[in-house]
Amino acid sequence: MTPIIEFKNVSKKFDQKLVIDQLDLSINKGEIFVLVGPSGSGKTTTLKMINALSEPTDGDIYFKEKRIKEYNIQKMRWQMGYVLQQIALFPTMDVKQNIEVIPEMLGWSKKDRSEAVDRLLTQVKLDPEQYRHRMPKELSGGEQQRIGILRALAANPEIILMDEPFSALDPISRNSLQELVLDLHQELGTTIIFVTHNMKEAVKLGTRIAVMNQGKIVQCDTPEVIVSQPKTAFVKSFFEETGEDEAKLVTAGDLMRMNFFSDEVNPGAPQIAASTTLNELYTLFATHDTVVIEEEQKLVGSLSRKDVFAFLSRDRT
């Protein structure tokens, strides 16, 4: 598969401080690619270099096999939607006008723009009759961010860049918008590059996750592999810190009672007590695909990596 975005030996310095260190990275068309890591790890800088808001000090970045520096930058940006943490709707424009910004720049007809606005509002379960002429100040934070996502999608871009877009929202709004991103991605298949410092959010959304630290990618893989087979102590500790209480308190028996298990028993798999914690399961899944749960001296079912991954990715509303 040919990558839609590729970093080749990319470094970035700010005032001689190295913030991105010889980054090699490929992002495939149609995936949700999540950059996750602590503050200062280089996530947002990496994202900004994709649409040339920041330029690399060394190395090259490619969009559809062509170096970004060879594009007309403004026209290239029209192919990339951008959703920020700060809800950046234009306060003097209504919902319809906010969504239409890029299509209008691209010369779409008034009729095509209006149809696109109504279609997109309907897609995210906002009634066009009620919402198209509302002003941003009349919307909740979650509704404003929904409109921000629609504005990024309006011109059918090939890539959506999302920089911690939900971190300022309450947990219910955040979960609702995560579900919205998954639904829109399933429906549209747009490539999404998503920055977060929250490993749970990364696991829920990502097709693949790149864990960053000090300007480098320390592991890049599917959520399931990163959860069950962290490559370094940093990746393991970062994941455990973001879900420390859950990992210590939730047991295999809890997963079984929440129906994250199979009632089929593989006699060749390792046997574990129902009291085994998530932390202990992570260690077991580094070397085994499935474990069998023993409770009251009976084999009652089995757990797989996929079962644990499904639990970690569950809807928490």
Side-chain angles (χ1 to χ4, degrees), residues 165-234:
F166 311 144
S167 60
L169 300 175
D170 63 88
I172 293 174
S173 296
R174 182 174 191 149
N175 185 75
S176 174
L177 285 164
Q178 289 168 352
E179 295 296 327
L180 173 64
V181 167
L182 290 171
D183 290 344
L184 289 172
H185 180 257
Q186 184 172 11
E187 187 169 344
L188 303 174
T190 309
T191 306
I192 298 173
I193 304 169
F194 192 104
V195 164
T196 181
H197 63 272
N198 185 300
M199 183 63 96
K200 288 183 183 178
E201 185 166 68
V203 166
K204 180 172 182 176
L205 295 179
T207 309
R208 284 191 301 148
I209 299 171
V211 184
M212 295 192 71
N213 190 34
Q214 298 180 339
K216 291 178 176 286
I217 290 177
V218 291
Q219 185 170 359
C220 182
D221 217 314
T222 64
E224 187 181 354
V225 170
I226 285 181
V227 168
S228 61
Q229 302 174 58
K231 276 189 175 179
T232 67
F234 170 80

Side-chain angles (χ1 to χ4, degrees), residues 9-141:
N9 201 30
V10 171
S11 295
K12 176 67 179 178
K13 292 180 179 178
F14 290 113
D15 299 326
Q16 302 305 308
K17 181 182 178 182
L18 187 66
V19 293
I20 301 295
D21 187 4
Q22 295 184 317
L23 188 65
D24 290 304
L25 171 64
S26 294
I27 298 171
N28 297 322
K29 184 177 176 65
E31 68 178 338
I32 302 180
F33 189 91
V34 180
L35 294 161
V36 66
S39 297
S41 60
K43 309 181 299 293
T44 294
T45 300
T46 300
L47 194 76
K48 286 182 175 179
M49 288 194 288
I50 291 172
N51 74 342
L53 284 173
S54 183
E55 295 183 3
T57 308
D58 295 298
D60 286 302
I61 304 168
Y62 294 79
F63 172 46
K64 297 192 295 187
E65 301 185 90
K66 178 179 174 181
R67 290 193 305 173
I68 282 178
K69 63 179 69 173
E70 295 173 7
Y71 280 91
N72 175 310
I73 296 301
Q74 185 58 55
K75 289 183 178 178
M76 184 198 74
R77 285 177 180 158
W78 288 343
Q79 300 178 63
M80 299 182 183
Y82 208 148
V83 184
L84 301 169
Q85 176 182 345
Q86 301 79 19
I87 301 169
L89 299 182
F90 298 111
T92 59
M93 292 182 179
D94 65 20
V95 163
K96 181 175 182 290
Q97 291 167 327
N98 265 283
I99 296 172
E100 286 181 337
V101 167
I102 301 301
E104 188 171 8
M105 288 182 181
L106 292 172
W108 289 25
S109 71
K110 187 175 181 180
K111 178 176 180 289
D112 287 345
R113 297 199 309 267
S114 293
E115 287 177 353
V117 168
D118 286 359
R119 174 176 50 79
L120 288 165
L121 285 170
T122 301
Q123 231 168 349
V124 299
K125 299 177 175 58
L126 296 177
D127 181 2
E129 291 294 331
Q130 292 185 33
Y131 281 90
R132 69 166 78 93
H133 295 304
R134 286 191 185 179
M135 302 302 289
K137 66 182 180 182
E138 300 176 275
L139 305 175
S140 69

